[in-house]
Amino acid sequence: MKPLTITSRLEVYESPEELPQDVQELLQAAIEARESAYAPYSSFKVGAALLLENNEVVIGSNQENASYPSGLCAERTAVYAAGAKYPDVPVLKLVVTAKSMRHQVVSPVPPCGACRQALVEYEVKQDEPMEVYFTGETGKVVKADSVKDLLPLVFDNSCL
Ligand code: THU
């Protein structure tokens, strides 16, 4: 037996003001996108904004359904919209923000496991890292340089 240690390096920004200007603008787009969330069941609104290599910004928000599993997270709504509109343009950055109608979200909200899997598919496809920033309604912002930092031991096409 040989132990395998997995490490990920993340960066923590104390507040959005510490972020580079382009990421602050992307966060603003994600905050606006959050308002378009359709979240009558969870009351938890998530906004996502992607910056593409062609400088376009593509947004997404969570879209829920009375048949719960038919709903979709903000990150996947965004990355699938980008894939549909700009199929060959790499996604450089993703910013995610969340707000609850029930309490203040003061801790950073990371993409769920299913979204990490969906995001890494595009990172592998574009062969360029996608930076991921996530935050709550207020407070710290966490940055990963690559989706793989959020999803070690990735399952991708090389496994097939
Ligand atoms: N949600 C997202 O949009 N992104 C995530 O990464 C976590 C969860 C949504 C799904 C659902 O509409 C609500 O948040 C509560 O789980």
Side-chain angles (χ1 to χ4, degrees):
M1 193 282 277
K2 224 168 61 180
L4 174 67
T5 306
I6 298 172
T7 55
S8 283
R9 183 185 165 279
L10 302 174
E11 290 175 359
V12 181
Y13 295 79
E14 283 306 308
S15 73
E17 291 75 56
E18 281 186 11
L19 294 166
Q21 191 56 36
D22 64 329
V23 180
Q24 287 195 32
E25 286 168 20
L26 208 53
L27 173 58
Q28 199 46 48
I31 290 169
E32 283 164 27
R34 204 173 64 191
E35 291 313 305
S36 70
Y38 174 57
Y41 305 105
S42 70
S43 298
F44 194 73
K45 294 182 161 197
V46 185
L50 305 172
L51 176 66
L52 275 58
E53 204 169 67
N54 62 1
N55 250 3
E56 292 288 338
V57 171
V58 175
I59 58 102
S61 58
N62 53 327
Q63 301 295 320
E64 297 184 351
N65 194 283
S67 172
Y68 292 2
S70 298
L72 199 64
C73 293
E75 297 91 322
R76 274 177 284 169
T77 306
V79 83
Y80 294 155
K85 191 156 187 207
Y86 303 106
D88 298 317
V89 184
V91 178
L92 303 181
K93 301 176 191 199
L94 158 66
V95 176
V96 187
T97 175
K99 172 183 175 175
S100 171
M101 309 319 285
R102 297 182 181 145
H103 63 273
Q104 253 231 330
V105 179
V106 293
S107 299
V109 174
C112 77
C115 285
R116 294 177 203 196
Q117 182 67 34
L119 292 168
V120 87
E121 181 74 24
Y122 290 89
E123 190 175 79
V124 169
K125 175 178 173 243
Q126 68 190 30
D127 198 22
E128 253 185 86
M130 187 190 300
E131 292 178 2
V132 180
Y133 296 80
F134 53 92
T135 186
E137 191 183 348
T138 59
K140 297 185 200 319
V141 181
V142 177
K143 175 194 178 191
D145 286 336
S146 158
V147 181
K148 286 177 185 160
D149 287 315
L150 299 176
L151 190 66
L153 293 184
V154 65
F155 178 86
D156 62 13
N157 55 11
S158 70
C159 301
L160 296 174

